[in-house]
Amino acid sequence: MTVIAVIGSQWGDEGKGKAVDFLAERADYVARFNGGNNAGHTVINQFGTFKIHLVPSGIFAQNTTGLIGGGVVIDPQVLLEEIEMLNKAGVGVDGRLWVSPRSHLIMPYHKILDGLYEEAKGKGATGTTRRGIGPVFADKVSYNGIRWTDFTSDMFEQRLEVQLTLKNKIIVALGGEALKFEAVRDEYRGYYARLKPYIRELFSIVQDGLKANKIFLLEQAMGTFLDTDWGTYPFVTASTTIPSAASAGLGIPPKYINNVVGVTKAYTTRVGGGPLPTEIHDTESEVYKKFGEVAATTGRIRRVGWLDLEIVRTAAQLSGMTEICLTKLDVLSGLKEIQVCAGYKLNGESVRYADVDAYGLDKVEPVYKSLPGWSEDITQARTFEDLPANAQNYVKMIEDAAGVPVKMIGVGPEREATIRR
Ligand code: GDP
Ligand code: IMO
Ligand code: MG
C-alpha cells in the first residue's frame, strides 16, 4: 500500500498545490485532512489557473476520488463556490468528491470572533486569515461545534440556539451586532440541501482502499511551523499540520503513512505575524523584489527571507520526510550570490529551533553561508543535468543539510515545469 503525505516544510505556501496536482496522475484517492479554507493552493494545468481552498488539489486528475476528511473545517459557501467553479471549468467533481459528515462547520460567529479577537490583541495579533479558523477549532475541542451530521436530526437547531445564546453575548460585549437565529438557520439549512449529495461517511472508503492497496495522496494545509504544537506558538494555525494529523483527520492508521514529501521553497515566505529569522526587510533590494508574492487566500503581501536550513532540517525530523520537492528554484536565477541560514546563535551559543520559543526565535542570529548563484533561465530545464552546476550544487547542499533526497524540483508555476529525479 502507498500512502503519500505531501506537507509544507516551512510556514505555508511552499507550493503544495502544484506538487499534489503533479503527483495525482498516479493516485486513486486525493485527500485533505486538516485546516480549512485558510489554505490557498495554486494549481496551473490544462484546465486553467486555480486558487483552491478546500477541494484536494489532485481532483484535476480524472482517475482520482477526492476526500475531505473530518479533520477539515468547512465554510459551506466557499465549498459550494469551489465545486461550482471546478465543474464550470470542466473538471467534473460530481460523484468523485466526498465530504466527511464529521467535519465541523465554520459558522458566521466564528468569522466575526476571529476578527474581534485579532483586534483585541493589537500589536500581538497572529495575523490570521480571518476565516474563523481559530474559533471553529476551539468550539470543536470544547464540544461546542456543529457538524454536518447534526443536520440529519433537529440537533442542528438545538445546537445553533445554544451557540447563538453564548456567542451573541460575546459579540455584543465586544461591540459587534447579534446574529439572528432564523437567518443563520435558513442559510445553513440551504447549504446542507445543496451539499448533501457530497456528504458521505469516509470510513469504509478509506478502509477498503487501504485493503485494496490503493494509492492515497494526502494534502496538508498550512506548513510544519504553523502546527499548533510544533509551530511558532501563538503565531500558528489552529490545527495539527504534521503528517500524524492525517491519521485523526482521515482515519488512516499511522503505520500506513510511509511516504512523506516535504515541499520546500528555495527561499522562505511567511504571511501574518511571528518570527522569521532570515527575513529580508529592505523592500528596495533585488532579492526582496524577486521573492515577493501575493497570498492566495487573503491577497496580503508575503514576508520573505533566505532559505533556512534549520527549519527544513527540523521539518524533516518532525515529519519523517522521505523526499523533498524543492519549489521555485527558477526564482533564484540571476542572483550573483545566494545566502542560506545554516543554523542559529543566541547569546553566542548555537541553538536549534526546538530550543527556543517564538519570542526566542525572534532573537536568534542566523549563521549565513554564501553560495554562488547562476545567471541562466532554468524554466525550460526538465532533467537535473539541464541545470547549471551552481543550481545543482544548491540542490545537493539542501539534501546534505536535511538528510533527505530532493526528488522533485520546480522550475516554474505550471504543472509541467517540474524536474523528476
Ligand atoms: P501552497 O499553499 O503550498 O499550495 O502554495 P501557494 O499556491 O499558496 O503558493 C505557491 C506559489 O508559488 C504559487 O503562486 C504557485 O503558482 C507558485 N509556484 C509553485 N511552484 C513553483 C515553482 O517551482 N516555480 C515558480 N516560479 N512558482 C511556483
Ligand atoms: P496554505 O495551505 C500560509 C497563517 C496565517 C496566520 C496564521 C493563523 O496555503 O499553505 P489562521 O487563519 O489559520 O487562524 O491564521 O496562519 N496561515 C497560512 N499561511 N499559508 C497557509 O495555508 C496558511 N493558513 C494559515 O497567515 O499567520
Ligand atoms: Mg497557499
Side-chain angles (χ1 to χ4, degrees), residues 11-14 16 38-41 114 126-134 220-223 226 235-238 270-273 296-298 300 302:
W11 279 281
D13 307 323
E14 296 89 351
K16 299 174 292 291
N38 44 350
H41 294 182
D114 195 351
T126 300
T128 73
T129 60
R130 301 197 177 210
R131 298 300 190 263
I133 302 298
Q220 179 221 47
M222 292 79 250
L226 289 170
F235 306 99
V236 292
T237 192
R270 175 164 203 166
V271 200
T297 297
T298 56
R300 289 179 289 180
R302 291 176 180 159

PDB file of all heavy atoms in Angstrom, residues 11-14 16 38-41 114 126-134 220-223 226 235-238 270-273 296-298 300 302, ligand 2:
ATOM      1  N   TRP A  11       6.540  27.765   6.423  1.00  0.00           N
ATOM      2  CA  TRP A  11       5.377  28.432   7.036  1.00  0.00           C
ATOM      3  C   TRP A  11       4.193  28.506   6.072  1.00  0.00           C
ATOM      4  O   TRP A  11       3.436  29.468   6.100  1.00  0.00           O
ATOM      5  CB  TRP A  11       5.777  29.822   7.517  1.00  0.00           C
ATOM      6  CG  TRP A  11       6.467  29.817   8.842  1.00  0.00           C
ATOM      7  CD1 TRP A  11       5.885  29.709  10.076  1.00  0.00           C
ATOM      8  CD2 TRP A  11       7.878  29.925   9.091  1.00  0.00           C
ATOM      9  NE1 TRP A  11       6.846  29.745  11.063  1.00  0.00           N
ATOM     10  CE2 TRP A  11       8.068  29.877  10.493  1.00  0.00           C
ATOM     11  CE3 TRP A  11       9.000  30.050   8.264  1.00  0.00           C
ATOM     12  CZ2 TRP A  11       9.323  29.952  11.090  1.00  0.00           C
ATOM     13  CZ3 TRP A  11      10.253  30.125   8.857  1.00  0.00           C
ATOM     14  CH2 TRP A  11      10.405  30.076  10.251  1.00  0.00           C
ATOM     15  N   GLY A  12       4.041  27.502   5.232  1.00  0.00           N
ATOM     16  CA  GLY A  12       2.925  27.506   4.296  1.00  0.00           C
ATOM     17  C   GLY A  12       3.327  28.080   2.948  1.00  0.00           C
ATOM     18  O   GLY A  12       4.409  28.654   2.791  1.00  0.00           O
ATOM     19  N   ASP A  13       2.477  27.849   1.960  1.00  0.00           N
ATOM     20  CA  ASP A  13       2.667  28.391   0.610  1.00  0.00           C
ATOM     21  C   ASP A  13       3.959  27.914  -0.051  1.00  0.00           C
ATOM     22  O   ASP A  13       4.571  28.632  -0.855  1.00  0.00           O
ATOM     23  CB  ASP A  13       2.617  29.930   0.628  1.00  0.00           C
ATOM     24  CG  ASP A  13       1.362  30.441   1.309  1.00  0.00           C
ATOM     25  OD1 ASP A  13       0.312  29.802   1.142  1.00  0.00           O
ATOM     26  OD2 ASP A  13       1.433  31.470   1.998  1.00  0.00           O
ATOM     27  N   GLU A  14       4.368  26.716   0.259  1.00  0.00           N
ATOM     28  CA  GLU A  14       5.604  26.166  -0.312  1.00  0.00           C
ATOM     29  C   GLU A  14       5.401  25.709  -1.764  1.00  0.00           C
ATOM     30  O   GLU A  14       6.368  25.461  -2.492  1.00  0.00           O
ATOM     31  CB  GLU A  14       6.083  24.966   0.526  1.00  0.00           C
ATOM     32  CG  GLU A  14       6.468  25.316   1.959  1.00  0.00           C
ATOM     33  CD  GLU A  14       5.291  25.235   2.928  1.00  0.00           C
ATOM     34  OE1 GLU A  14       4.142  25.082   2.446  1.00  0.00           O
ATOM     35  OE2 GLU A  14       5.516  25.322   4.140  1.00  0.00           O
ATOM     36  N   LYS A  16       2.483  23.368  -2.312  1.00  0.00           N
ATOM     37  CA  LYS A  16       1.880  22.049  -2.113  1.00  0.00           C
ATOM     38  C   LYS A  16       0.843  21.733  -3.194  1.00  0.00           C
ATOM     39  O   LYS A  16       0.761  20.604  -3.679  1.00  0.00           O
ATOM     40  CB  LYS A  16       1.209  21.982  -0.734  1.00  0.00           C
ATOM     41  CG  LYS A  16       2.185  22.188   0.418  1.00  0.00           C
ATOM     42  CD  LYS A  16       1.485  22.259   1.752  1.00  0.00           C
ATOM     43  CE  LYS A  16       0.629  23.492   1.957  1.00  0.00           C
ATOM     44  NZ  LYS A  16       1.347  24.751   2.096  1.00  0.00           N
ATOM     45  N   ASN A  38      -8.577  28.522   5.137  1.00  0.00           N
ATOM     46  CA  ASN A  38      -7.430  29.416   5.318  1.00  0.00           C
ATOM     47  C   ASN A  38      -6.345  29.037   4.296  1.00  0.00           C
ATOM     48  O   ASN A  38      -5.503  29.843   3.934  1.00  0.00           O
ATOM     49  CB  ASN A  38      -6.874  29.355   6.757  1.00  0.00           C
ATOM     50  CG  ASN A  38      -6.763  27.941   7.312  1.00  0.00           C
ATOM     51  OD1 ASN A  38      -7.263  26.987   6.731  1.00  0.00           O
ATOM     52  ND2 ASN A  38      -6.099  27.800   8.441  1.00  0.00           N
ATOM     53  N   ALA A  39      -6.396  27.795   3.818  1.00  0.00           N
ATOM     54  CA  ALA A  39      -5.455  27.338   2.794  1.00  0.00           C
ATOM     55  C   ALA A  39      -5.779  27.979   1.449  1.00  0.00           C
ATOM     56  O   ALA A  39      -6.933  28.222   1.139  1.00  0.00           O
ATOM     57  CB  ALA A  39      -5.545  25.818   2.663  1.00  0.00           C
ATOM     58  N   GLY A  40      -4.733  28.234   0.685  1.00  0.00           N
ATOM     59  CA  GLY A  40      -4.896  28.698  -0.689  1.00  0.00           C
ATOM     60  C   GLY A  40      -3.835  28.000  -1.517  1.00  0.00           C
ATOM     61  O   GLY A  40      -2.658  28.305  -1.383  1.00  0.00           O
ATOM     62  N   HIS A  41      -4.244  27.026  -2.298  1.00  0.00           N
ATOM     63  CA  HIS A  41      -3.285  26.205  -3.045  1.00  0.00           C
ATOM     64  C   HIS A  41      -3.413  26.500  -4.540  1.00  0.00           C
ATOM     65  O   HIS A  41      -4.495  26.354  -5.113  1.00  0.00           O
ATOM     66  CB  HIS A  41      -3.539  24.714  -2.753  1.00  0.00           C
ATOM     67  CG  HIS A  41      -3.255  24.354  -1.320  1.00  0.00           C
ATOM     68  ND1 HIS A  41      -3.364  23.079  -0.832  1.00  0.00           N
ATOM     69  CD2 HIS A  41      -2.851  25.123  -0.272  1.00  0.00           C
ATOM     70  CE1 HIS A  41      -3.041  23.068   0.461  1.00  0.00           C
ATOM     71  NE2 HIS A  41      -2.736  24.298   0.823  1.00  0.00           N
ATOM     72  N   ASP A 114     -13.178  35.717  15.127  1.00  0.00           N
ATOM     73  CA  ASP A 114     -11.786  35.727  14.641  1.00  0.00           C
ATOM     74  C   ASP A 114     -11.309  37.178  14.507  1.00  0.00           C
ATOM     75  O   ASP A 114     -10.252  37.568  15.021  1.00  0.00           O
ATOM     76  CB  ASP A 114     -11.736  34.993  13.285  1.00  0.00           C
ATOM     77  CG  ASP A 114     -10.325  34.617  12.857  1.00  0.00           C
ATOM     78  OD1 ASP A 114      -9.354  35.050  13.506  1.00  0.00           O
ATOM     79  OD2 ASP A 114     -10.185  33.890  11.851  1.00  0.00           O
ATOM     80  N   THR A 126      -2.082  37.553  15.757  1.00  0.00           N
ATOM     81  CA  THR A 126      -1.487  36.452  14.994  1.00  0.00           C
ATOM     82  C   THR A 126      -1.410  36.798  13.508  1.00  0.00           C
ATOM     83  O   THR A 126      -0.542  36.304  12.792  1.00  0.00           O
ATOM     84  CB  THR A 126      -2.331  35.172  15.214  1.00  0.00           C
ATOM     85  OG1 THR A 126      -2.319  34.874  16.609  1.00  0.00           O
ATOM     86  CG2 THR A 126      -1.789  33.980  14.447  1.00  0.00           C
ATOM     87  N   GLY A 127      -2.324  37.645  13.068  1.00  0.00           N
ATOM     88  CA  GLY A 127      -2.388  37.935  11.633  1.00  0.00           C
ATOM     89  C   GLY A 127      -3.097  36.811  10.913  1.00  0.00           C
ATOM     90  O   GLY A 127      -2.635  36.308   9.891  1.00  0.00           O
ATOM     91  N   THR A 128      -4.236  36.382  11.461  1.00  0.00           N
ATOM     92  CA  THR A 128      -4.966  35.248  10.873  1.00  0.00           C
ATOM     93  C   THR A 128      -5.574  35.631   9.522  1.00  0.00           C
ATOM     94  O   THR A 128      -5.610  36.810   9.155  1.00  0.00           O
ATOM     95  CB  THR A 128      -6.121  34.775  11.791  1.00  0.00           C
ATOM     96  OG1 THR A 128      -7.177  35.742  11.733  1.00  0.00           O
ATOM     97  CG2 THR A 128      -5.653  34.591  13.231  1.00  0.00           C
ATOM     98  N   THR A 129      -6.090  34.631   8.859  1.00  0.00           N
ATOM     99  CA  THR A 129      -6.767  34.873   7.578  1.00  0.00           C
ATOM    100  C   THR A 129      -8.193  35.389   7.810  1.00  0.00           C
ATOM    101  O   THR A 129      -8.892  35.684   6.847  1.00  0.00           O
ATOM    102  CB  THR A 129      -6.842  33.571   6.757  1.00  0.00           C
ATOM    103  OG1 THR A 129      -7.578  32.599   7.526  1.00  0.00           O
ATOM    104  CG2 THR A 129      -5.465  33.021   6.442  1.00  0.00           C
ATOM    105  N   ARG A 130      -8.618  35.416   9.075  1.00  0.00           N
ATOM    106  CA  ARG A 130      -9.961  35.865   9.457  1.00  0.00           C
ATOM    107  C   ARG A 130     -11.058  35.025   8.815  1.00  0.00           C
ATOM    108  O   ARG A 130     -12.147  35.515   8.496  1.00  0.00           O
ATOM    109  CB  ARG A 130     -10.156  37.354   9.159  1.00  0.00           C
ATOM    110  CG  ARG A 130      -9.130  38.186   9.899  1.00  0.00           C
ATOM    111  CD  ARG A 130      -9.501  39.635   9.980  1.00  0.00           C
ATOM    112  NE  ARG A 130      -8.504  40.351  10.772  1.00  0.00           N
ATOM    113  CZ  ARG A 130      -8.761  41.422  11.495  1.00  0.00           C
ATOM    114  NH1 ARG A 130      -9.978  41.922  11.523  1.00  0.00           N
ATOM    115  NH2 ARG A 130      -7.807  42.008  12.178  1.00  0.00           N
ATOM    116  N   ARG A 131     -10.758  33.769   8.626  1.00  0.00           N
ATOM    117  CA  ARG A 131     -11.752  32.851   8.061  1.00  0.00           C
ATOM    118  C   ARG A 131     -12.497  32.092   9.160  1.00  0.00           C
ATOM    119  O   ARG A 131     -13.257  31.180   8.883  1.00  0.00           O
ATOM    120  CB  ARG A 131     -11.070  31.848   7.106  1.00  0.00           C
ATOM    121  CG  ARG A 131     -10.383  32.480   5.888  1.00  0.00           C
ATOM    122  CD  ARG A 131     -11.397  33.258   5.040  1.00  0.00           C
ATOM    123  NE  ARG A 131     -10.843  33.686   3.762  1.00  0.00           N
ATOM    124  CZ  ARG A 131     -10.329  34.891   3.516  1.00  0.00           C
ATOM    125  NH1 ARG A 131     -10.259  35.793   4.487  1.00  0.00           N
ATOM    126  NH2 ARG A 131      -9.891  35.195   2.309  1.00  0.00           N
ATOM    127  N   GLY A 132     -12.217  32.413  10.425  1.00  0.00           N
ATOM    128  CA  GLY A 132     -12.927  31.763  11.541  1.00  0.00           C
ATOM    129  C   GLY A 132     -12.254  30.488  12.016  1.00  0.00           C
ATOM    130  O   GLY A 132     -12.852  29.698  12.761  1.00  0.00           O
ATOM    131  N   ILE A 133     -11.011  30.279  11.623  1.00  0.00           N
ATOM    132  CA  ILE A 133     -10.327  29.002  11.871  1.00  0.00           C
ATOM    133  C   ILE A 133     -10.081  28.755  13.370  1.00  0.00           C
ATOM    134  O   ILE A 133     -10.435  27.688  13.885  1.00  0.00           O
ATOM    135  CB  ILE A 133      -8.995  28.956  11.083  1.00  0.00           C
ATOM    136  CG1 ILE A 133      -9.263  29.154   9.574  1.00  0.00           C
ATOM    137  CG2 ILE A 133      -8.241  27.653  11.360  1.00  0.00           C
ATOM    138  CD1 ILE A 133     -10.113  28.107   8.911  1.00  0.00           C
ATOM    139  N   GLY A 134      -9.483  29.701  14.059  1.00  0.00           N
ATOM    140  CA  GLY A 134      -9.220  29.516  15.492  1.00  0.00           C
ATOM    141  C   GLY A 134     -10.519  29.252  16.259  1.00  0.00           C
ATOM    142  O   GLY A 134     -10.649  28.254  16.972  1.00  0.00           O
ATOM    143  N   GLN A 220      -1.544  18.187   2.896  1.00  0.00           N
ATOM    144  CA  GLN A 220      -1.560  19.023   4.099  1.00  0.00           C
ATOM    145  C   GLN A 220      -1.937  20.460   3.732  1.00  0.00           C
ATOM    146  O   GLN A 220      -1.631  20.930   2.632  1.00  0.00           O
ATOM    147  CB  GLN A 220      -0.159  19.007   4.724  1.00  0.00           C
ATOM    148  CG  GLN A 220       0.006  19.840   5.972  1.00  0.00           C
ATOM    149  CD  GLN A 220       1.328  20.573   5.956  1.00  0.00           C
ATOM    150  OE1 GLN A 220       1.697  21.189   4.958  1.00  0.00           O
ATOM    151  NE2 GLN A 220       2.074  20.468   7.043  1.00  0.00           N
ATOM    152  N   ALA A 221      -2.590  21.129   4.669  1.00  0.00           N
ATOM    153  CA  ALA A 221      -2.783  22.568   4.524  1.00  0.00           C
ATOM    154  C   ALA A 221      -1.890  23.254   5.547  1.00  0.00           C
ATOM    155  O   ALA A 221      -1.540  22.680   6.567  1.00  0.00           O
ATOM    156  CB  ALA A 221      -4.244  22.935   4.763  1.00  0.00           C
ATOM    157  N   MET A 222      -1.488  24.490   5.249  1.00  0.00           N
ATOM    158  CA  MET A 222      -0.523  25.249   6.052  1.00  0.00           C
ATOM    159  C   MET A 222       0.867  24.616   5.911  1.00  0.00           C
ATOM    160  O   MET A 222       1.136  23.964   4.936  1.00  0.00           O
ATOM    161  CB  MET A 222      -0.891  25.313   7.548  1.00  0.00           C
ATOM    162  CG  MET A 222      -2.112  26.094   7.912  1.00  0.00           C
ATOM    163  SD  MET A 222      -3.663  25.257   7.644  1.00  0.00           S
ATOM    164  CE  MET A 222      -4.250  26.185   6.299  1.00  0.00           C
ATOM    165  N   GLY A 223       1.686  24.772   6.946  1.00  0.00           N
ATOM    166  CA  GLY A 223       3.050  24.235   6.879  1.00  0.00           C
ATOM    167  C   GLY A 223       3.454  23.735   8.248  1.00  0.00           C
ATOM    168  O   GLY A 223       2.762  23.981   9.250  1.00  0.00           O
ATOM    169  N   LEU A 226       3.452  26.146  11.240  1.00  0.00           N
ATOM    170  CA  LEU A 226       2.170  26.724  11.668  1.00  0.00           C
ATOM    171  C   LEU A 226       1.406  25.701  12.497  1.00  0.00           C
ATOM    172  O   LEU A 226       0.277  25.948  12.927  1.00  0.00           O
ATOM    173  CB  LEU A 226       1.350  27.170  10.446  1.00  0.00           C
ATOM    174  CG  LEU A 226       1.895  28.403   9.708  1.00  0.00           C
ATOM    175  CD1 LEU A 226       1.158  28.620   8.393  1.00  0.00           C
ATOM    176  CD2 LEU A 226       1.798  29.659  10.575  1.00  0.00           C
ATOM    177  N   PHE A 235       1.865  32.200  17.129  1.00  0.00           N
ATOM    178  CA  PHE A 235       1.765  32.607  15.721  1.00  0.00           C
ATOM    179  C   PHE A 235       1.675  31.352  14.865  1.00  0.00           C
ATOM    180  O   PHE A 235       2.595  31.024  14.108  1.00  0.00           O
ATOM    181  CB  PHE A 235       2.952  33.491  15.334  1.00  0.00           C
ATOM    182  CG  PHE A 235       3.119  34.666  16.259  1.00  0.00           C
ATOM    183  CD1 PHE A 235       4.042  34.638  17.284  1.00  0.00           C
ATOM    184  CD2 PHE A 235       2.304  35.784  16.120  1.00  0.00           C
ATOM    185  CE1 PHE A 235       4.181  35.712  18.160  1.00  0.00           C
ATOM    186  CE2 PHE A 235       2.421  36.858  16.989  1.00  0.00           C
ATOM    187  CZ  PHE A 235       3.362  36.826  18.016  1.00  0.00           C
ATOM    188  N   VAL A 236       0.577  30.648  15.038  1.00  0.00           N
ATOM    189  CA  VAL A 236       0.382  29.361  14.380  1.00  0.00           C
ATOM    190  C   VAL A 236      -1.055  29.293  13.889  1.00  0.00           C
ATOM    191  O   VAL A 236      -1.819  30.243  14.054  1.00  0.00           O
ATOM    192  CB  VAL A 236       0.627  28.200  15.375  1.00  0.00           C
ATOM    193  CG1 VAL A 236       2.095  28.109  15.770  1.00  0.00           C
ATOM    194  CG2 VAL A 236      -0.255  28.340  16.624  1.00  0.00           C
ATOM    195  N   THR A 237      -1.424  28.161  13.332  1.00  0.00           N
ATOM    196  CA  THR A 237      -2.823  27.948  12.981  1.00  0.00           C
ATOM    197  C   THR A 237      -3.422  26.988  14.000  1.00  0.00           C
ATOM    198  O   THR A 237      -2.715  26.452  14.868  1.00  0.00           O
ATOM    199  CB  THR A 237      -2.959  27.451  11.531  1.00  0.00           C
ATOM    200  OG1 THR A 237      -4.354  27.540  11.156  1.00  0.00           O
ATOM    201  CG2 THR A 237      -2.475  26.013  11.364  1.00  0.00           C
ATOM    202  N   ALA A 238      -4.741  26.753  13.891  1.00  0.00           N
ATOM    203  CA  ALA A 238      -5.438  26.022  14.960  1.00  0.00           C
ATOM    204  C   ALA A 238      -5.482  24.513  14.754  1.00  0.00           C
ATOM    205  O   ALA A 238      -6.124  23.820  15.526  1.00  0.00           O
ATOM    206  CB  ALA A 238      -6.852  26.566  15.101  1.00  0.00           C
ATOM    207  N   ARG A 270       6.436  33.932   4.615  1.00  0.00           N
ATOM    208  CA  ARG A 270       5.519  33.806   5.748  1.00  0.00           C
ATOM    209  C   ARG A 270       4.452  34.892   5.611  1.00  0.00           C
ATOM    210  O   ARG A 270       4.772  36.020   5.233  1.00  0.00           O
ATOM    211  CB  ARG A 270       6.313  33.980   7.049  1.00  0.00           C
ATOM    212  CG  ARG A 270       5.467  33.979   8.279  1.00  0.00           C
ATOM    213  CD  ARG A 270       6.187  33.773   9.583  1.00  0.00           C
ATOM    214  NE  ARG A 270       5.150  33.270  10.489  1.00  0.00           N
ATOM    215  CZ  ARG A 270       5.330  32.715  11.649  1.00  0.00           C
ATOM    216  NH1 ARG A 270       6.549  32.584  12.120  1.00  0.00           N
ATOM    217  NH2 ARG A 270       4.328  32.275  12.374  1.00  0.00           N
ATOM    218  N   VAL A 271       3.210  34.557   5.917  1.00  0.00           N
ATOM    219  CA  VAL A 271       2.135  35.561   5.923  1.00  0.00           C
ATOM    220  C   VAL A 271       1.633  35.698   7.357  1.00  0.00           C
ATOM    221  O   VAL A 271       1.434  34.695   8.028  1.00  0.00           O
ATOM    222  CB  VAL A 271       0.923  35.135   5.055  1.00  0.00           C
ATOM    223  CG1 VAL A 271       0.083  36.349   4.691  1.00  0.00           C
ATOM    224  CG2 VAL A 271       1.365  34.412   3.816  1.00  0.00           C
ATOM    225  N   GLY A 272       1.415  36.919   7.810  1.00  0.00           N
ATOM    226  CA  GLY A 272       0.936  37.128   9.179  1.00  0.00           C
ATOM    227  C   GLY A 272       2.095  37.377  10.127  1.00  0.00           C
ATOM    228  O   GLY A 272       3.242  37.555   9.702  1.00  0.00           O
ATOM    229  N   GLY A 273       1.784  37.364  11.441  1.00  0.00           N
ATOM    230  CA  GLY A 273       2.798  37.686  12.445  1.00  0.00           C
ATOM    231  C   GLY A 273       3.688  36.501  12.778  1.00  0.00           C
ATOM    232  O   GLY A 273       3.525  35.412  12.233  1.00  0.00           O
ATOM    233  N   ALA A 296      -2.437  33.677  -1.610  1.00  0.00           N
ATOM    234  CA  ALA A 296      -3.515  33.117  -2.434  1.00  0.00           C
ATOM    235  C   ALA A 296      -4.888  33.255  -1.786  1.00  0.00           C
ATOM    236  O   ALA A 296      -5.898  33.317  -2.481  1.00  0.00           O
ATOM    237  CB  ALA A 296      -3.225  31.642  -2.730  1.00  0.00           C
ATOM    238  N   THR A 297      -4.962  33.313  -0.461  1.00  0.00           N
ATOM    239  CA  THR A 297      -6.265  33.386   0.209  1.00  0.00           C
ATOM    240  C   THR A 297      -6.667  34.822   0.512  1.00  0.00           C
ATOM    241  O   THR A 297      -7.788  35.229   0.239  1.00  0.00           O
ATOM    242  CB  THR A 297      -6.255  32.551   1.516  1.00  0.00           C
ATOM    243  OG1 THR A 297      -6.044  31.192   1.143  1.00  0.00           O
ATOM    244  CG2 THR A 297      -7.563  32.658   2.278  1.00  0.00           C
ATOM    245  N   THR A 298      -5.742  35.599   1.062  1.00  0.00           N
ATOM    246  CA  THR A 298      -6.128  36.930   1.554  1.00  0.00           C
ATOM    247  C   THR A 298      -5.636  38.077   0.686  1.00  0.00           C
ATOM    248  O   THR A 298      -6.027  39.220   0.899  1.00  0.00           O
ATOM    249  CB  THR A 298      -5.558  37.150   2.974  1.00  0.00           C
ATOM    250  OG1 THR A 298      -4.143  36.949   2.916  1.00  0.00           O
ATOM    251  CG2 THR A 298      -6.161  36.181   3.979  1.00  0.00           C
ATOM    252  N   ARG A 300      -2.776  39.292   0.837  1.00  0.00           N
ATOM    253  CA  ARG A 300      -1.747  40.065   1.552  1.00  0.00           C
ATOM    254  C   ARG A 300      -0.388  39.837   0.887  1.00  0.00           C
ATOM    255  O   ARG A 300      -0.196  38.876   0.158  1.00  0.00           O
ATOM    256  CB  ARG A 300      -1.666  39.606   3.022  1.00  0.00           C
ATOM    257  CG  ARG A 300      -2.858  40.011   3.844  1.00  0.00           C
ATOM    258  CD  ARG A 300      -2.746  39.531   5.277  1.00  0.00           C
ATOM    259  NE  ARG A 300      -2.896  38.085   5.391  1.00  0.00           N
ATOM    260  CZ  ARG A 300      -2.839  37.418   6.548  1.00  0.00           C
ATOM    261  NH1 ARG A 300      -2.615  38.061   7.674  1.00  0.00           N
ATOM    262  NH2 ARG A 300      -2.999  36.112   6.575  1.00  0.00           N
ATOM    263  N   ARG A 302       3.276  38.562   1.051  1.00  0.00           N
ATOM    264  CA  ARG A 302       4.015  37.609   1.881  1.00  0.00           C
ATOM    265  C   ARG A 302       5.358  38.197   2.304  1.00  0.00           C
ATOM    266  O   ARG A 302       6.037  38.839   1.507  1.00  0.00           O
ATOM    267  CB  ARG A 302       4.232  36.300   1.110  1.00  0.00           C
ATOM    268  CG  ARG A 302       2.939  35.534   0.903  1.00  0.00           C
ATOM    269  CD  ARG A 302       3.114  34.278   0.053  1.00  0.00           C
ATOM    270  NE  ARG A 302       1.831  33.586  -0.096  1.00  0.00           N
ATOM    271  CZ  ARG A 302       1.543  32.716  -1.052  1.00  0.00           C
ATOM    272  NH1 ARG A 302       2.447  32.387  -1.965  1.00  0.00           N
ATOM    273  NH2 ARG A 302       0.368  32.139  -1.102  1.00  0.00           N
TER     274      ARG A 302
HETATM  275  P1  IMO B   2      -1.509  27.141   2.742  1.00  0.00           P
HETATM  276  O1  IMO B   2      -2.219  25.809   2.886  1.00  0.00           O
HETATM  277  C1  IMO B   2       0.379  30.489   4.786  1.00  0.00           C
HETATM  278  C2  IMO B   2      -1.283  31.644   8.668  1.00  0.00           C
HETATM  279  C3  IMO B   2      -1.968  32.984   8.748  1.00  0.00           C
HETATM  280  C4  IMO B   2      -1.642  33.359  10.179  1.00  0.00           C
HETATM  281  C5  IMO B   2      -1.741  32.014  10.908  1.00  0.00           C
HETATM  282  C6  IMO B   2      -3.080  31.769  11.583  1.00  0.00           C
HETATM  283  O2  IMO B   2      -1.976  27.923   1.580  1.00  0.00           O
HETATM  284  O3  IMO B   2      -0.036  26.975   2.805  1.00  0.00           O
HETATM  285  P2  IMO B   2      -5.489  31.178  10.633  1.00  0.00           P
HETATM  286  O4  IMO B   2      -6.368  31.909   9.664  1.00  0.00           O
HETATM  287  O5  IMO B   2      -5.111  29.814  10.202  1.00  0.00           O
HETATM  288  O6  IMO B   2      -6.034  31.228  12.031  1.00  0.00           O
HETATM  289  O7  IMO B   2      -4.127  32.057  10.675  1.00  0.00           O
HETATM  290  O8  IMO B   2      -1.536  31.025   9.915  1.00  0.00           O
HETATM  291  N1  IMO B   2      -1.797  30.730   7.619  1.00  0.00           N
HETATM  292  C7  IMO B   2      -1.163  30.474   6.470  1.00  0.00           C
HETATM  293  N2  IMO B   2      -0.016  30.984   5.963  1.00  0.00           N
HETATM  294  N3  IMO B   2      -0.288  29.536   4.101  1.00  0.00           N
HETATM  295  C8  IMO B   2      -1.415  28.997   4.601  1.00  0.00           C
HETATM  296  O9  IMO B   2      -2.039  27.958   4.024  1.00  0.00           O
HETATM  297  C9  IMO B   2      -1.917  29.489   5.823  1.00  0.00           C
HETATM  298  N4  IMO B   2      -3.008  29.205   6.587  1.00  0.00           N
HETATM  299  C10 IMO B   2      -2.910  29.967   7.687  1.00  0.00           C
HETATM  300  O10 IMO B   2      -1.408  33.887   7.821  1.00  0.00           O
HETATM  301  O11 IMO B   2      -0.316  33.803  10.276  1.00  0.00           O
END
